[in-house]
Amino acid sequence: MLVFYTTFHLSHRKYEEGLAYLRTVYIPAATRSGQLQSPRLQRVVHEVEGAEGVSVSVQFGVSDEKTLQAWMCDEGAALHQELVARFEHEMAGFSTVLEELDLI
């Protein structure tokens, strides 16, 4: 199982709108196909001093890299374009893929 997360930085001016968008549009669309599962939304607690906004993380579980790549090429690319068109420079993000390891 992989964990795919994107940290978004939203301007203070667009924070509430961006959060609503992630909750009502982005996350439902990202999970619609079933390729991404178990969505979570978190706020980054320790912000950089003097930052011009707030950071949040959207996290999903995904079965394997092939499934993630398929999602990124199809649904992910379309969602990214929609997000950029809507928020322009008011929201930016970066993604990370983690592999879950056993504790023992």
Side-chain angles (χ1 to χ4, degrees):
M1 176 65 83
L2 300 176
V3 177
F4 170 62
Y5 75 90
T6 302
T7 300
F8 293 102
H9 185 78
L10 299 109
S11 69
H12 288 296
R13 193 170 76 82
K14 291 288 188 170
Y15 176 71
E16 292 298 330
E17 179 185 345
L19 205 54
Y21 174 84
L22 291 172
R23 287 178 172 141
T24 63
V25 177
Y26 187 89
I27 292 172
T31 57
R32 191 168 293 127
S33 70
Q35 292 173 303
L36 300 185
Q37 303 168 1
S38 306
R40 296 180 70 181
L41 178 61
Q42 298 123 347
R43 183 177 58 84
V44 176
V45 175
H46 297 287
E47 292 289 333
V48 175
E49 190 173 319
E52 302 271 332
V54 179
S55 295
V56 297
S57 176
V58 178
Q59 178 178 317
F60 303 96
V62 60
S63 60
D64 54 52
E65 287 186 56
K66 183 177 178 182
T67 301
L68 179 58
Q69 287 300 321
W71 180 85
M72 290 176 79
C73 289
D74 298 329
E75 297 165 59
L79 278 173
H80 175 74
Q81 291 300 330
E82 183 179 326
L83 189 141
V84 169
R86 181 174 181 139
F87 292 98
E88 298 177 342
H89 64 280
E90 301 281 348
M91 182 188 286
F94 65 91
S95 296
T96 304
V97 179
L98 305 171
E99 179 182 14
E100 290 188 356
L101 301 175
D102 293 330
L103 292 175
I104 299 176

